[in-house]
Amino acid sequence: MLDLLIRYHGPAGLKAAGKATVKRWARHHSRKDPGPLIDQIFTALSEQTVTVPSTLG
């Protein structure tokens, strides 16, 4: 999880990269199947209603 945040620079970067791109990167950098975690992350991002200024790319 931390690697994802570092790689994509937080929630805004994850959204900008898109679910498919993040899943592809995570599959190559994880020992376990990252699919369910990535799905949960993007579900949470789609439900996010508050944006903290320091999380903008």
Side-chain angles (χ1 to χ4, degrees):
M1 180 63 192
L2 183 56
D3 289 339
L4 284 174
L5 292 173
I6 292 169
R7 166 83 176 156
Y8 293 103
H9 307 289
L14 286 166
K15 271 185 168 179
K19 189 176 185 176
T21 300
V22 172
K23 267 190 178 181
R24 191 175 321 113
W25 184 86
R27 279 192 185 112
H28 295 318
H29 295 87
S30 178
R31 292 181 198 153
K32 295 182 179 181
D33 177 22
L37 176 61
I38 303 300
D39 291 339
Q40 290 176 349
I41 290 169
F42 275 86
T43 297
L45 287 173
S46 71
E47 296 171 356
Q48 183 177 354
T49 59
V50 176
T51 302
V52 178
S54 64
T55 64
L56 298 175

